[in-house]
Amino acid sequence: MIVDKDFTIGEVDKRIYGSFIEHLGRAVYGGIYEPGHPEADEQGFRNDVIELVQGLDVPIVRYPGGNFVSGYNWEDGVGPVELRPKRLELAWRTIEPNLFGFNEFVDWCRKAGTEAMMAVNLGTRGPEEARQLVEYSNHPSGTHLSDLRIKHGYKDPHNIKTWCLGNEMDGPWQIGAKTAVEYGRIAAETAKVMKWVDPTIELVACGSSALGMPTFPEWESTVLDLAYNQVDYISLHQYYGNRDNDTPNFLAQSMGMDSFINTVIATCDYIQAKKRSKKKINLSFDEWNVWYHSNAADSKIDPWSIAPPQLEDVYNHEDALLVGSMLISMLKRADRVKMACIAQLVNVIAPIMTANGGAAWKQTIYFPYMHTSIFGRGTALVPLVTSPKYDSKDYSDVPYLDAVAVLSENQEEVTVFAVNRHLSESLPLEIDLRSFGSCRVIEHIVLEHDDLKAANTIDAPNRVTPHTGGDATADGSKIEALLGKASWNVIRLK
Ligand code: AHR
């Protein structure tokens, strides 16, 4: 691997280390909010969960959905709790008690040291309700809705900067799904009035729900053609699984993510050229993760209960490797991927798990997410990688070495993030840091396990954890390390 400080990809926007809390399963109720729990504060927020969230240094959290937002009335979740309605929630077939809503979420964000990224309902609602929410949230005072926020106990405006225009509107499963033309028009009109209320906000238009959607990438092209001037970002969503227990193919799937990102960038730039515009649209990869372990259990959950254990994937070691590679994929396009949200944050396909009334612990995927969030801020550097390759069922020429480097914000450290995709052999890595002069290794963190299916559970919460016993050594600007089979590596250099 050759890394040169003059060969830059772009500044890493810290918001690529964002996450997501949806009113779904036990993400809110029993996750971040559980009044009566021994760790709950006066608002019912679990301090043990907040501590784990702070360990990830999450800069932004998308809320309240997801599919949930497409049937949600934001007014149900504000004001006196005893007056809030219980509702049938059609996206996930549960009952939503509305004990936790918009203002509680903003309070939780402040306590957790993060920012809110709000989604508006463009399924059953439209521009009027969206612009009303911006007024309630961001307008200082002197109007019905801003004064209502003050009456609800929030004198200062929330000043939320980032807003999503609906969720997965291309998906037939979505409440109020739309064609690209229908969505492009409503997104443009909604964006227009939201920005008239607060011109400082930034807006994310819905892109395709997955790389495999039949309307991809025509959807992006049509939506941007209709809403280019009004929006700032286009979203991407993608989940992967290892349903056939074909791990070489599973680990190669980040190559699909690379091509998804590159195609969306090309589509944005095509519309830019078509419009002769100076403006660039950037990417918000606001749902991504591994998601498949819980599918069978979810199909057995009876409808219409409050906060059932939905989408509770228990992640294993190989999942952490793919999550590491997905983070590497986004860093490789740090020039255009400016926001991203691992979906989700707690209990629901999440790095953090809790037991109701009990403990909170770190899933395997917590670690690559934490390492990149902590050490992957600054400038992403072009990874010139030469590696042996393999072919899998769906991908050809998959490099065993998946890697990228980031120069820290103070320019004093370089961190190399690397996955060895080989399941049975170590990979000798040589890094040529030619322009950096003489370096030393601060630490070489490794996440490895003999059992690819090993997971952390309430009874064995530390089964898969990283260690700092990697063998990276420096000789001038030449670094050598042996990357263990099926391992995630963080090599920190100064
Ligand atoms: O994150 C789980 C779900 O996945 C979200 O609600 C939806 O947007 C996507 O399909």
Side-chain angles (χ1 to χ4, degrees), residues 151-401:
K151 196 171 146 203
H152 290 161
Y154 297 84
K155 183 168 169 297
D156 295 326
H158 294 322
N159 280 331
I160 290 172
K161 289 290 160 233
T162 316
W163 297 77
C164 303
L165 296 162
N167 178 70
E168 296 191 346
M169 301 308 302
D170 60 331
W173 58 86
Q174 200 67 213
I175 301 170
K178 296 185 170 36
T179 65
V181 172
E182 287 166 348
Y183 174 68
R185 284 292 302 129
I186 200 169
E189 291 305 317
T190 306
K192 198 168 85 182
V193 292
M194 288 171 80
K195 284 190 171 175
W196 282 349
V197 175
D198 182 352
T200 68
I201 61 175
E202 290 198 312
L203 298 173
V204 184
C206 289
S208 295
S209 303
L211 177 58
M213 292 300 287
T215 45
F216 173 75
E218 195 52 42
W219 172 276
E220 282 74 359
S221 167
T222 306
V223 167
L224 288 177
D225 214 4
L226 292 165
Y228 199 87
N229 294 335
Q230 287 77 26
V231 305
D232 306 284
Y233 303 88
I234 185 118
S235 73
L236 298 83
H237 291 182
Q238 185 65 43
Y239 297 97
Y240 289 116
N242 190 8
R243 292 187 176 82
D244 306 329
N245 197 18
D246 177 350
T247 301
N249 195 51
F250 172 68
L251 294 181
Q253 291 178 109
S254 61
M255 290 177 72
M257 189 166 186
D258 294 336
S259 102
F260 192 11
I261 291 171
N262 290 332
T263 307
V264 175
I265 292 171
T267 310
C268 292
D269 294 351
Y270 160 66
I271 299 296
Q272 179 188 11
K274 197 173 157 189
K275 293 193 174 290
R276 278 82 171 127
S277 173
K278 277 166 82 178
K279 175 178 169 184
K280 274 222 178 299
I281 298 286
N282 283 320
L283 277 53
S284 172
F285 214 125
D286 47 42
E287 282 188 40
W288 67 271
N289 203 347
V290 172
W291 173 15
Y292 77 103
H293 296 285
S294 58
N295 293 165
D298 284 340
S299 64
K300 296 189 191 110
I301 294 176
D302 287 334
W304 317 133
S305 61
I306 296 176
Q310 291 167 310
L311 280 64
E312 297 205 356
D313 274 40
V314 175
Y315 291 112
N316 59 32
H317 177 60
E318 66 184 19
D319 297 329
L321 299 180
L322 182 61
V323 161
S325 278
M326 292 175 92
L327 286 155
I328 289 172
S329 289
M330 290 187 281
L331 284 167
K332 284 195 290 192
R333 288 314 309 253
D335 55 328
R336 297 299 292 275
V337 180
K338 293 295 172 190
M339 290 191 280
C341 304
I342 190 171
Q344 298 190 8
L345 187 55
V346 186
N347 289 332
V348 172
I349 44 174
I352 298 168
M353 286 299 287
T354 70
N356 288 347
W361 65 98
K362 299 170 184 171
Q363 296 235 54
T364 59
I365 61 170
Y366 185 96
F367 300 108
Y369 177 33
M370 174 183 76
H371 292 145
T372 46
S373 177
I374 305 293
F375 302 120
R377 298 182 186 205
T379 307
L381 301 174
V382 177
L384 293 168
V385 168
T386 312
S387 162
K389 294 179 173 155
Y390 66 98
D391 289 338
S392 74
K393 183 162 80 54
D394 299 318
Y395 301 89
S396 301
D397 291 329
V398 184
Y400 283 109
L401 174 65

Side-chain angles (χ1 to χ4, degrees), residues 371 443-449 465-471 488 490:
H371 292 145
E443 60 179 348
H444 176 181
I445 307 168
V446 184
L447 187 67
E448 57 190 345
H449 204 286
T465 47
H467 64 80
T468 51
D471 72 352
W488 161 255
V490 183

